[in-house]
Amino acid sequence: PYTNMPQLLLDILDKEYTDIDELLATLFANLDTRIKSNFESENEDRKYRSENSMNPFLSCFVNDCLERGTDIEQGGARYNWIMPSFVGMANLVDSLYALKQIVFDLKELSIKEFKTILDSNFENNEIFRQRLLNSISKYGNDIDEIDCLFGKITEHIVSECKKYTGIHTNGNLIPSVFCWVMHESFGRQTGATPDGRKAGFPLGDGSGPCQGRELKGPTASILSSTKWAHHEL
């Protein structure tokens, strides 16, 4: 199951918050609900397949199915993990940092005023959009304050996913920020975001920075992407 991370943020920009911590707490509550819902849906699908289907050819090539005499659909594989993927993490982090700067630190806009600009897809606010894109620091440039925010979110995801186990042996949730094509698909469905991204533009893919935002070179980008605990994802 895939989760559109920037959309989770947009869904909660319907009220004011006292600070970035309160906003994050609401975001995490929204995220927890999505993780639970996605797990229950995937687990139910696996239960249905276990009861109603078999995949003998594939089972011949997956470790332990033959040894156990158990089809992969019935849990014969050595590992039966579920890998929820959290798409657009860099957009989310950049958006949260932009909100922190503009709304909570500088107090230039309220959440409502910011959301009005986003809902209009930055119409008549191109100068402001360029400021968001070019004057507010972004993930991928070895800036601890922003990179730590990425880590804080991934730590929460890992902690939440540990609460769930699938119906088969070794059926843990193994979260990731990986995606094949969903960054483009979700991007088409997602409105403008506080990081300066316009509606319909692809989300950032994988664990690196968004398109074109690594302004300090590949080394800084790699440093940003290795500050958080990959071994837990």
Side-chain angles (χ1 to χ4, degrees):
Y2 293 93
T3 297
N4 183 336
M5 298 300 283
Q7 187 62 54
L8 291 182
L9 176 62
L10 294 178
D11 290 343
I12 63 170
L13 297 183
D14 56 354
K15 65 175 186 177
E16 301 298 329
Y17 298 90
T18 56
D19 53 33
I20 190 66
D21 290 333
E22 184 184 9
L23 176 60
L24 269 175
T26 304
L27 176 70
F28 285 160
N30 199 18
L31 174 60
D32 294 350
T33 299
R34 185 61 54 86
I35 290 172
K36 183 175 187 289
S37 175
N38 283 347
F39 167 75
E40 290 174 345
S41 176
E42 179 70 18
N43 214 33
E44 189 63 30
D45 181 58
R46 290 192 174 200
K47 181 182 178 186
Y48 179 85
R49 282 162 31 207
S50 176
E51 295 171 349
N52 296 280
S53 67
M54 298 184 73
N55 203 328
F57 184 73
L58 179 60
S59 298
C60 291
F61 298 95
V62 175
N63 284 338
D64 295 5
C65 288
L66 290 177
E67 291 83 348
R68 293 173 176 173
T70 305
D71 188 87
I72 190 172
E73 298 290 9
Q74 277 78 54
R78 184 176 303 175
Y79 302 104
N80 294 280
W81 70 80
I82 297 171
M83 192 186 80
S85 187
F86 300 87
V87 183
M89 278 287 295
N91 292 101
L92 174 62
V93 169
D94 289 348
S95 293
L96 287 169
Y97 192 69
L99 288 169
K100 180 180 182 299
Q101 293 285 303
I102 299 296
V103 176
F104 301 115
D105 292 349
L106 298 175
K107 303 186 185 304
E108 293 183 6
L109 294 174
S110 66
I111 293 288
K112 180 179 179 181
E113 290 168 335
F114 209 133
K115 186 175 185 298
T116 298
I117 294 173
L118 297 178
D119 289 344
S120 71
N121 198 22
F122 295 103
E123 185 177 356
N124 299 321
N125 283 284
E126 182 61 20
I127 293 176
F128 178 62
R129 188 177 85 88
Q130 290 300 322
R131 178 186 171 198
L132 293 174
L133 286 172
N134 301 306
S135 297
I136 295 181
S137 298
K138 301 291 189 294
Y139 172 73
N141 295 286
D142 190 23
I143 301 171
D144 287 342
E145 184 178 9
I146 303 174
D147 300 340
C148 288
L149 187 56
F150 198 109
K152 187 173 185 177
I153 297 169
T154 56
E155 286 173 8
H156 182 88
I157 288 172
V158 169
S159 176
E160 191 65 22
C161 284
K162 285 180 178 178
K163 297 178 182 179
Y164 302 99
T165 303
I167 62 172
H168 299 313
T169 303
N170 290 326
N172 301 333
L173 265 65
I174 308 296
S176 80
V177 291
F178 169 80
C179 61
W180 289 102
V181 296
M182 291 304 294
H183 60 292
E184 189 278 331
S185 178
F186 277 159
R188 280 189 279 114
Q189 305 166 21
T190 306
T193 44
D195 57 345
R197 173 193 150 276
K198 297 194 76 172
F201 192 80
L203 304 180
D205 66 316
S207 62
C210 294
Q211 301 88 334
R213 296 183 185 177
E214 64 280 27
L215 303 179
K216 295 184 180 179
T219 301
S221 176
I222 291 170
L223 288 171
S224 287
S225 299
T226 53
K227 288 180 184 177
W228 42 277
H230 289 230
H231 65 279
E232 294 186 353
L233 280 175

